[in-house]
């Protein structure tokens, strides 16, 4: 294959990887490569030097006091299969299971899905509704960032060239007495597998016994330059009891939260109808109890 | 009593009962077999049926078989190319390399309409490792490609008519250098106003693609008094259908290897017609046909995309090889292949069809506008098939069909499985459902009232269908298999956001080539009996994944009474067999088989006397079956065929035989479209069951039931594989594969966004096979490659419309298309009006 790459470096530790990224301007980290290799071949991204993260030890899922920590090198397949993710963050498990198809899921990593910064990244809406934060490292140290603040635009993050995503924190949910959690991920595309989302949505709601929505987070992919939280809609719904007119109003308000465009996958009008449909179905499940 | 065919397993179709009207015709047909084929080599059908798998045969050399062996016909022996393909051992063009071989690349136009003021190759020549950069002036012969017409240069000189027009060709020591140099070729292109809509292209004043005008040709079928028929109709449906094109999406992109040898040249190519390439290369290099040898490489899928098109890359590689004196290989990458190779024609189909109050069709007017792209290619032949397929297998007394071939600056229309028939079938079956709805009839019922049968057997071309007409039979069987009756009562409620629908479509497929292509419709075979009793077979028709090697092997083994494992069928090579035309039009097994049977018949004029001597009987009494030559009717008097072969060798008797076949001449009037367009026809019916999410426009094809009159089963696995593959490929065309263009530039030239089905999308497929005694090819077999494709997307479309209660007249039925068809009926349509 015609890949314009001069050098591939294989650091054996995180410290070594960060050192290489600091020393070699133009170096780019690579994990599963399922996005990057295609983009390098097509000339959509460039890299003189690739820093292969395979031996850096960023894979793995562990519990911490604050929640579940998923290493950036964890594969989609491992995330989708992890019992803790499946029980506590079902939207993320569902999203990871819909990235590409199984062969892709076995290579693609969570860090790569974030670093690639696709507006259609399937895991991002699920992570957004989970209130995820990313831990970022460089040779100078570590910092933590709410996931929402990571993305700058299509294919662009606020990461500095020498920085690396090392893990993602999913805060634990404390569900009070009599509360129920509704969490969903839905992906819309013209075939069952191996498809880029035309629209995807994740939703999380905590509903009190009296039907009042205590917390609601809604996030969409492929409807804006980055995956987005539907903040206006969330504000509309929070602390209210869902009824027909509120549901109706939400479908109008959510249109302000998204800014879809016409592209080869669908016109903006289709995406707006899909956003309304997915939100309506999610709210129906929230109301159903 | 009608003889039964040998089948390794019971014929699936007979396991279930047909509901509805009792199908009688097939039964009748079996009692009076029509022998319409005049070919003398047509063998008597082999004897008795059995109901178990044969298993490996080890002939007893002492005694010979006690029971007659029915042979492999209709069975499921392992196809000869299966193991090497599954194990990755098959050598495709991309696996072939020769010492000193150069790599070719193409410099192509990125715009669709321009005049060329100059082409500059100096930067390309300067790229390291580049050996040769050639333009039109370097062509020693004619700068022409194109199978039928001469409107297409190999390398453009003055005018660009579509994206992908070749400006220059490059050979270099590495593929990377070759493509880098190709990108470095610059052309001074002066933009012209292009035309990107075939309907607009027909209008006066439109920019023209060729000086002769944009409407290249119009084909007609005219029958009956239209004015009177219009008056008789009580219901008339008018409709306009917009049917999209399709890429072949073969696994292996275009590729070939050219090897110069002094004053002659060998081409090894991924292709469906080595003879087309032979002619194209000879013309471009100015060589005699005999100086050009074309070997078909194992080919990773064709579907029509490797019929005419491979002549273009082959001529490019040949030119570079000729000029450099070195082997040159050209391999397309997928993005280039998607943009520049031929496509199924996008078409606009306009209908005005009328029926009387009982639903009997009175007339059908069809006007089809086929988007040929920048050159005519095979578009006229595609239009000929579309033209006579426009009405389907229905009895319509008055017909007025027009099919226009129109130039645009869009993608290059070419051959694709179905060849014009899928587009018009999609429209015809949609209109039938609309008529049924207008009349309050069930879609099944309106088809019952109009389908051709033993009494009504005249096609729109005036041709009387020969043999049994099993259109009603396949209709009843497929709908019964799908559970049509009662489906609507059982239709599940939509609590899962899904609505279920069912749709039906028939197809009438004219097997092999249209009257207009008769001169290409012949085939050649060579059969060589080896001294050990094994057999070499050469045919001129290609294995492109469809199972032609399997079919040829089965037919040769059946005819010679040997085990299929003793028969080796080798890839076509223009130096070993005569020009057999293209492997298209579902004619592979048919034409290979007939030529093989002729070759075997001729071989037996020398084999039978030797066997007769060994058996002490008359040559006319010799029968070949179960690996033995034996005295007919006397199980004990047998000698292994290997012994007969050894005896022939020791006596120096000629054990090589050629075979030849062509169908009988037919009469046809191209001005009126009346006459025998095809020799014989296959009939099939598909029923689709779908689940549609109307709010998201998502279509899931849940099940397709297929009933086919195949004439005779040659190899049951290959047959079922063709039906399954045809259904899945047609589902992709009908539901998800779109070719969006902007000024002739394809907007989704990768498999990321050109959405073909994956295994996860494949529906449940139920197959019912009917065998019949009408005219056909070897042992009565008809073609299956295209009948398996054509009635699928139309059945799916009708099922989707049944589920939604609306018409969707644009193909493919992508989510945005379905949602757009719903319009204001979408429950959330109002959100589009919300002020933001």
């Amino acid at each position: 294959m015609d890949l314009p790459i001069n050098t591939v470096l294989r650091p054996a530790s995180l410290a070594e990887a960060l050192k290489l990224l600091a020393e070699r301007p133009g170096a780019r980290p690579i994990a599963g490569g399922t996005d990057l290799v295609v983009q390098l071949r097509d000339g959509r991204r460039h890299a003189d030097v690739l820093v292969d993260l395979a031996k850096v030890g960023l894979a793995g899922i562990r519990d911490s006091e604050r929640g579940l920590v998923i290493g950036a090198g964890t594969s989609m397949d491992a995330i989708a299969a992890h019992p803790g993710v499946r029980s506590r963050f079902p939207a993320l498990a569902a999203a990871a299971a819909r990235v590409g198809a199984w062969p892709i899921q076995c290579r693609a990593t969570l860090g790569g899905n974030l670093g690639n910064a696709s507006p259609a990244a399937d895991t991002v809406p699920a992570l957004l509704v989970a209130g995820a934060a990313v831990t970022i490292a460089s040779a100078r140290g570590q910092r933590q960032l709410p996931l929402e603040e990571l993305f700058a635009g299509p294919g662009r993050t606020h990461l500095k060239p020498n920085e690396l995503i090392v893990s993602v924190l999913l805060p634990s949910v404390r569900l009070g007495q009599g509360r129920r959690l509704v969490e969903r991920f839905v992906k819309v595309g013209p075939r069952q597998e191996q498809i880029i989302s035309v629209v995807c949505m994740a939703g999380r709601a905590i509903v009190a016994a009296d039907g009042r929505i205590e917390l609601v987070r809604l996030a969409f992919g492929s409807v804006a330059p980055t995956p987005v939280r539907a903040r206006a809609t969330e504000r509309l719904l929070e602390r209210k009891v869902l009824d027909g007119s509120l549901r109706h109003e939400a479908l109008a308000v959510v249109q302000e939260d998204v800014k879809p465009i016409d592209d080869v996958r669908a016109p903006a009008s289709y995406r707006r109808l899909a956003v309304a449909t997915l939100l309506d179905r999610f709210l129906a499940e929230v109301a159903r109890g | 009593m009608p003889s039964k065919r040998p089948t390794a397993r019971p014929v699936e179709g007979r396991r279930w009962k047909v509901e509805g009207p009792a199908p009688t015709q097939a039964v009748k047909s079996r009692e009076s077999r029509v022998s319409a084929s005049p070919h003398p080599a047509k063998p008597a059908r082999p004897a008795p049926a059995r109901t178990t798998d044969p298993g490996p045969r080890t002939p007893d050399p002492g005694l010979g078989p006690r029971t007659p062996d029915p042979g492999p016909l209709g069975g499921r022996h392992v196809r000869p190319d299966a193991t090497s393909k599954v194990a990755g051992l098959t050598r495709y063009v991309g696996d072939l390399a020769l010492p000193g071989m150069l790599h070719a690349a193409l410099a192509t136009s990125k715009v669709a309409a321009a005049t060329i003021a100059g082409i500059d190759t100096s930067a390309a020549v300067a790229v390291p490792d580049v050996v040769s950069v050639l333009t039109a002036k370097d062509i020693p012969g004619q700068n022409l490609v194109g199978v039928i017409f001469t409107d297409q240069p190999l390398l453009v000189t003055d005018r660009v008519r579509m994206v992908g027009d070749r400006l220059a060709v490059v050979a270099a020591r590495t593929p990377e250098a070759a493509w880098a140099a190709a990108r470095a070729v610059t052309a001074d292109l002066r933009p012209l106003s292009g035309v990107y809509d075939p309907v607009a292209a027909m209008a006066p004043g439109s920019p023209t693609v060729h000086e002769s005008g944009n409407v290249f040709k119009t084909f007609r079928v005219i029958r009956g008094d239209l004015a009177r028929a219009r008056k008789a109709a009580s219901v008339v449906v008018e409709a306009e259908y917009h049917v999209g094109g399709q890429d072949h999406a073969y696994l292996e992109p275009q590729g070939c290897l050219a090897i110069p040898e002094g004053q002659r040249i060998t081409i090894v190519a991924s292709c469906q017609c080595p003879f087309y390439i032979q002619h194209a290369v000879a013309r471009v290099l100015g060589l005699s046909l005999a100086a050009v040898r074309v070997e078909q490489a194992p080919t990773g899928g064709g579907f029509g995309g490797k019929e005419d098109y491979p002549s273009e890359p082959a001529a490019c590689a040949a030119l570079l090889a000729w000029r450099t004196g070195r082997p040159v290989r050209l391999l397309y990458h997928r993005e280039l292949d998607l943009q520049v190779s031929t496509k199924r024609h996008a078409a606009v189909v306009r209908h005005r069809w009328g029926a009387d109050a009982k639903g009997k069709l009175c007339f059908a007017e069809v006007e089809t506008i086929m988007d040929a792209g920048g050159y005519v290619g095979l578009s006229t032949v595609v239009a000929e098939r579309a033209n006579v397929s426009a009405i389907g297998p229905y009895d319509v007394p008055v017909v007025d069909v027009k099919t226009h071939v129109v130039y645009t600056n869009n993608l290059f229309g070419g051959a694709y499985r179905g060849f014009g028939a899928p587009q018009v079938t999609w429209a015809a079956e949609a209109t039938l459902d609309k008529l049924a709805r207008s009349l309050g009839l069930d879609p099944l019922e309106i088809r019952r009232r109009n389908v051709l049968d033993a009494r009504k057997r005249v096609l729109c071309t005036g041709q009387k269908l020969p043999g049994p007409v099993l259109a009603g039979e396949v209709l009843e069987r497929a709908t019964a298999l799908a559970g049509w009756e009662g489906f609507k009562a059982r239709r599940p409620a939509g609590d899962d956001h899904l609505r279920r629908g069912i749709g039906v479509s028939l197809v009438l497929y004219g097997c092999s080539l249209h009257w207009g292509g008769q001169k290409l419709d012949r085939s050649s075979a060579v059969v060589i009996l080896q001294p050990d009793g094994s057999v070499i077979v050469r045919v001129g028709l290609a294995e492109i994944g469809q199972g032609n090697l399997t079919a040829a092997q089965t037919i040769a083994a059946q005819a010679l009474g040997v085990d299929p494992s003793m028969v080796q069928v080798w890839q076509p090579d223009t130096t070993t067999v005569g020009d057999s035309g293209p492997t298209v039009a579902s004619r592979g097994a048919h034409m290979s088989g007939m030529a093989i049977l002729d070759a075997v018949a001729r071989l037996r004029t020398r084999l039978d006397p030797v066997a007769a001597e060994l058996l002490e009987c008359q040559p006319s009494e010799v029968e070949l079956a179960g690996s033995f030559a034996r005295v007919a009717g006397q199980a004990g008097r047998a000698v292994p065929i290997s012994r007969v072969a050894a005896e022939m060798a020791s006596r120096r008797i000629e054990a090589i035989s050629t075979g030849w076949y062509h169908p009988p001449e037919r009469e046809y009037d191209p001005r009126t479209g009346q006459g025998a367009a095809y020799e014989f026809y296959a009939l099939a019916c598909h029923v689709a069951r779908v689940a549609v999410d109307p709010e998201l426009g998502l279509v899931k094809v849940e099940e397709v039931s297929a009933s086919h009159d195949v004439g005779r089963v040659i190899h049951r696995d290959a047959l079922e594989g063709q039906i399954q593959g045809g259904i899945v490929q047609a589902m992709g065309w009908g539901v998800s594969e779109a070719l969006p263009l902007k000024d002739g530039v394809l907007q989704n030239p990768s498999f990321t966004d050109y959405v073909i089905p994956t295994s996860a999308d494949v529906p449940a497929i139920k197959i019912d096979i009917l065998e019949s005694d009408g005219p056909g090819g070897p042992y009565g077999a008809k073609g299956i490659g295209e009948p398996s494709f054509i009635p699928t997307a139309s059945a799916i479309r009708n099922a989707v419309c049944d589920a939604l209660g609306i018409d969707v007249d644009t193909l493919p039925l992508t989510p945005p298309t379905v949602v757009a068809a719903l319009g204001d009926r979408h429950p959330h349509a109002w959100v589009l009006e919300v002020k933001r």
Side-chain angles (χ1 to χ4, degrees):
Chain A
M1 186 166 41
D2 193 3
L3 266 190
I5 304 208
N6 291 325
T7 312
V8 179
L9 302 172
R10 295 210 156 81
S13 70
L14 179 60
E16 195 189 335
L18 295 172
K19 187 160 169 282
L20 288 171
L21 287 171
E23 288 168 355
R24 306 283 291 254
R28 192 178 271 285
I30 183 167
T34 55
D35 282 312
L36 184 57
V37 170
V38 179
Q39 293 162 358
L40 289 170
R41 196 197 62 157
D42 292 353
R44 284 183 282 149
R45 285 191 203 265
H46 303 277
D48 284 340
V49 178
L50 288 181
V51 178
D52 179 3
L53 302 177
K55 294 177 183 170
V56 170
L58 293 177
I61 301 173
R62 62 184 170 81
D63 251 318
S64 79
E65 284 174 11
R66 296 168 58 204
L68 203 63
V69 178
I70 303 181
T74 311
S75 72
M76 295 297 166
D77 178 58
I79 293 168
H82 189 269
V85 177
R86 291 164 69 101
S87 61
R88 292 156 61 189
F89 304 97
L92 178 61
R98 296 297 310 277
V99 172
W102 187 54
I104 300 271
Q105 289 156 20
C106 291
R107 282 202 67 79
T109 64
L110 187 62
N113 204 214
L114 302 183
N116 185 53
S118 164
D122 288 319
T123 60
V124 175
L127 293 171
L128 287 175
V129 301
V134 285
T135 300
I136 294 162
S138 70
R140 293 181 179 181
Q142 291 201 343
R143 63 180 176 127
Q144 207 170 49
L145 200 65
L147 176 62
E148 254 182 305
E149 293 171 27
L150 180 69
F151 303 111
R156 290 183 294 119
T157 65
H158 291 296
L159 289 177
K160 296 187 188 77
N162 60 354
E163 285 186 323
L164 203 58
I165 301 168
V166 293
S167 65
V168 178
L169 170 71
L170 301 176
S172 300
V173 184
R174 290 206 192 80
L175 209 55
Q177 194 69 34
R179 271 67 171 167
R180 64 196 167 75
L181 177 75
V182 181
E183 191 174 301
R184 294 285 182 273
F185 171 83
V186 184
K187 172 170 177 168
V188 178
R191 71 181 161 203
Q192 301 291 313
E193 301 278 345
Q194 192 79 45
I195 192 74
I196 293 174
S197 285
V198 175
V199 172
C200 61
M201 175 196 162
R204 172 189 281 188
I206 295 176
V207 186
D210 62 0
R212 200 166 39 85
I213 297 174
E214 289 193 341
L215 173 144
V216 62
R217 290 197 189 119
L218 306 164
F220 293 89
S222 279
V223 294
T226 67
V228 288
R229 282 272 295 272
R231 297 271 187 190
T233 314
E234 291 174 6
R235 280 195 298 274
L236 172 76
L237 295 167
E238 223 146 44
R239 289 179 297 280
K240 295 199 186 117
V241 177
L242 259 183
D243 60 19
S245 74
L246 186 61
R247 248 171 89 177
H248 191 78
E249 198 180 345
L251 303 196
V253 170
V254 77
Q255 301 301 328
E256 297 166 26
D257 285 317
V258 298
K259 293 173 186 61
I261 54 166
D262 293 330
D263 67 14
V264 71
R265 289 167 200 146
S269 58
Y270 174 82
R271 291 190 160 99
R272 289 194 175 277
L273 288 170
V275 164
T277 301
L278 297 183
L279 178 60
D280 190 53
R281 288 178 185 176
F282 177 70
L283 296 179
E285 292 199 55
V286 171
R288 194 174 299 144
Chain B
M1 182 194 156
S3 56
K4 287 185 178 175
R5 285 152 310 286
T7 47
R9 291 184 189 176
V11 174
E12 274 76 350
R14 303 210 183 98
R15 285 196 200 138
W16 50 272
K17 285 189 177 169
V18 177
E19 296 165 21
T24 54
Q25 201 177 357
V27 180
K28 275 186 199 158
S29 73
R30 286 180 213 290
E31 287 164 1
S32 57
R33 181 166 192 246
V34 181
S35 298
S37 172
H39 194 269
K42 190 158 193 162
R45 262 169 318 121
R50 61 178 178 190
T51 53
T52 52
D53 262 329
R57 270 186 287 276
T58 44
D60 180 341
L63 281 173
R66 289 188 188 286
T67 53
D69 186 303
L73 193 74
R76 296 182 188 268
H77 72 269
V78 175
R79 55 186 283 169
D81 52 339
T83 309
S84 61
K85 281 180 174 163
V86 170
L89 302 172
T90 304
R91 294 282 189 165
Y92 296 90
V93 174
D95 301 314
L96 303 178
L98 289 173
M101 184 179 83
L102 301 176
H103 301 269
L106 307 178
T108 54
S109 173
K110 305 292 180 278
V111 300
T115 54
I116 304 169
I119 298 171
D120 182 357
T121 61
S122 55
V125 172
V127 171
D129 284 328
V130 166
V131 175
S132 181
V133 183
L134 304 177
T135 57
K137 66 179 180 341
D138 301 304
I139 294 172
Q142 288 178 272
N143 182 18
L144 277 179
V145 285
V147 176
I148 307 169
F149 300 100
T150 54
D151 65 345
Q152 189 186 6
L154 179 67
L155 300 174
V156 291
T157 53
D158 57 346
R159 176 100 183 248
V160 165
R161 294 185 169 87
M162 61 184 189
V163 175
D165 270 355
R166 289 167 294 267
L167 304 159
V169 290
V170 178
R173 289 183 192 89
T174 66
E176 290 80 5
W179 289 105
R183 285 190 292 271
V185 171
T186 55
D188 184 0
L189 299 181
R190 311 276 165 83
L192 292 172
S193 5
V195 55
Y196 304 105
D197 173 354
V199 175
M202 294 179 74
S206 162
T208 52
V209 181
H210 291 265
E211 285 171 7
S212 53
N214 290 337
V215 180
F216 183 82
K217 195 165 181 183
T218 296
F219 294 88
R220 298 297 298 270
V221 175
I222 308 163
R223 186 162 176 254
D225 182 343
L226 189 59
R228 186 188 295 176
R230 278 184 185 153
K231 282 182 204 143
S234 51
V235 185
V236 174
V237 162
E238 293 190 41
E240 181 169 298
Y241 302 98
H242 291 260
V243 187
Q246 186 179 20
D247 183 77
H248 305 85
Y250 26 60
L251 273 177
E252 181 203 23
Q254 301 281 341
C256 58
L257 170 61
I259 309 159
E261 305 163 79
Q263 288 308 301
R264 57 192 206 181
I265 191 164
T266 295
I267 310 288
V268 183
S270 176
C271 67
Q272 288 174 237
C273 187
F275 306 100
Y276 282 0
I277 294 177
Q278 181 194 15
H279 282 260
V281 169
R283 184 161 63 183
V284 166
L285 296 187
L287 295 175
S288 68
L289 289 170
V292 180
R293 172 184 176 221
V294 182
E295 184 190 331
Q296 187 225 357
T299 296
F303 313 109
K306 289 176 186 166
E307 179 186 358
D308 48 330
Y309 189 80
S311 296
E312 300 181 28
C316 292
L319 175 64
L320 288 162
W322 198 249
R323 286 294 181 196
T324 61
R326 292 167 67 170
V328 173
R329 190 175 67 183
L330 174 56
L331 300 177
Y332 279 30
H333 48 264
R334 182 64 68 180
E335 290 75 9
L336 178 74
D337 197 307
L338 279 163
Q339 173 69 62
V340 310
S341 68
T342 52
K343 303 284 173 280
R344 182 184 303 289
H345 291 76
V348 175
V349 187
R350 294 174 179 146
H351 272 189
R352 189 188 293 134
W353 289 34
D356 68 16
K358 290 180 177 169
K360 178 75 196 65
L361 291 165
C362 304
F363 71 92
E365 292 175 77
V366 181
E367 182 175 30
T368 301
I369 298 152
M370 306 201 80
D371 187 346
Y375 303 98
V376 72
L378 290 171
S379 293
T380 51
V381 199
V382 173
E384 278 176 330
R385 185 176 284 281
N387 205 44
V388 300
S389 305
I391 311 300
Y394 301 106
D395 174 46
V396 191
V398 178
V399 171
D400 186 345
V401 180
K402 298 184 191 75
T403 307
H404 310 288
V405 175
V406 180
Y407 284 130
T408 66
N409 298 104
N410 289 334
L411 303 173
F412 192 7
Y416 198 139
R417 195 177 197 171
F419 215 67
Q423 293 93 321
V424 294
T425 300
W426 198 80
E429 296 289 335
T431 291
L432 270 179
D433 273 21
K434 292 177 187 186
L435 282 167
R437 191 168 354 116
S438 306
L439 290 158
L441 285 175
D442 186 73
L444 171 55
E445 188 54 35
I446 196 167
R447 286 170 176 78
R448 281 175 178 154
R449 292 183 188 184
N450 289 286
V451 82
L452 296 169
D453 61 21
R455 290 171 296 112
K456 301 172 291 182
R457 49 170 72 230
V458 179
L459 307 182
C460 64
T461 55
Q463 183 180 9
K464 198 173 171 192
L465 268 187
V469 182
L470 301 185
E473 185 87 1
V474 292
L475 174 66
E476 298 303 336
R477 295 171 78 110
T479 49
L481 197 54
W484 183 283
E485 300 291 346
F487 173 83
K488 279 159 200 184
R490 297 192 308 273
R491 199 191 310 251
D495 58 11
D496 52 356
H497 308 303
L498 299 177
R499 289 195 217 157
R500 260 74 182 190
I502 192 165
V504 59
S505 171
L506 286 152
V507 62
L508 173 76
Y509 183 81
C511 296
S512 202
L513 303 180
H514 186 277
W515 169 86
Q518 271 191 110
K519 70 179 192 320
L520 294 179
D521 211 4
R522 73 292 198 216
S523 69
S524 162
V526 175
V527 171
I528 313 173
L529 180 63
Q530 304 293 305
D532 62 356
S534 64
V535 183
I536 290 171
V537 174
R538 292 276 196 176
V539 290
L541 290 124
E543 168 67 51
I544 49 174
Q546 87 281 42
N548 201 57
L549 290 178
T550 315
Q553 182 192 52
T554 306
I555 291 163
Q558 185 74 30
L560 282 164
V562 299
D563 190 83
S565 63
M566 296 296 278
V567 178
Q568 296 294 337
V569 186
W570 292 81
Q571 298 287 125
D573 175 331
T574 55
T575 61
T576 62
V577 283
D579 191 338
S580 303
T583 303
V584 301
S586 308
R587 69 192 282 277
H590 170 197
M591 298 301 288
S592 318
M594 294 306 275
I596 289 168
L597 292 178
D598 185 44
V600 169
R602 295 196 210 182
L603 179 65
R604 288 191 63 179
T605 62
R606 299 186 288 277
L607 183 150
D608 287 7
V610 176
E613 256 185 69
L614 297 173
L615 290 164
E616 296 173 355
C617 69
Q618 294 301 311
S620 61
E621 293 176 285
V622 173
E623 184 177 88
L624 305 178
S627 302
F628 284 82
R630 64 188 180 211
V631 183
Q634 296 184 41
R637 291 174 67 191
V639 55
I641 288 172
S642 57
R643 175 134 180 256
V644 181
E647 188 66 22
M648 285 177 78
S650 73
R651 295 191 200 178
R652 295 181 292 172
I653 290 173
E654 185 184 1
I656 181 169
S657 174
T658 62
W660 187 254
Y661 174 73
H662 67 79
E665 290 288 325
R666 300 188 300 276
E667 298 294 326
Y668 183 80
D669 182 351
R671 290 164 305 168
T672 59
Q674 295 297 294
Y678 298 95
E679 184 192 358
F680 57 84
Y681 294 80
L683 278 155
C685 179
H686 286 186
V687 179
R689 293 171 62 159
V690 302
V692 186
D693 181 330
E695 293 168 38
L696 295 172
L698 297 169
V699 173
K700 168 76 181 154
V701 182
E702 296 190 310
E703 182 188 285
V704 175
S705 300
S707 181
H708 285 255
D709 169 17
V710 300
R712 192 71 62 233
V713 181
I714 301 281
H715 187 275
R716 200 166 292 275
D717 280 345
L719 175 75
E720 291 174 354
Q722 282 289 75
I723 295 173
Q724 292 160 350
I727 286 169
V728 175
Q729 191 169 39
M731 178 182 77
W733 177 57
V735 173
S736 63
E737 297 179 33
L739 293 167
L741 298 174
K742 191 176 174 193
D743 294 343
V745 182
L746 184 64
Q747 299 298 295
N748 56 345
S750 82
F751 284 157
T752 303
D753 286 314
Y754 184 74
V755 181
I756 60 173
T758 75
S759 55
D761 302 292
V762 173
I765 294 174
K766 294 180 176 171
I767 297 174
D768 167 58
I769 302 297
L770 261 174
E771 297 187 298
S772 65
D773 294 338
Y779 302 103
K782 301 179 179 185
I784 190 62
E786 289 159 294
S788 62
F789 182 101
I790 300 166
T792 311
S794 37
I796 291 169
R797 180 258 173 217
N798 288 348
V800 169
C801 296
D802 174 54
L804 296 177
I806 59 160
D807 281 316
V808 189
D809 291 344
T810 301
L811 174 148
L813 305 177
T814 60
T817 299
V818 171
V819 164
L822 279 173
D824 286 345
R825 276 168 284 201
H826 192 289
H828 308 313
W830 61 273
V831 304
L832 298 178
E833 308 304 322
V834 171
K835 292 237 162 45
R836 292 183 290 274

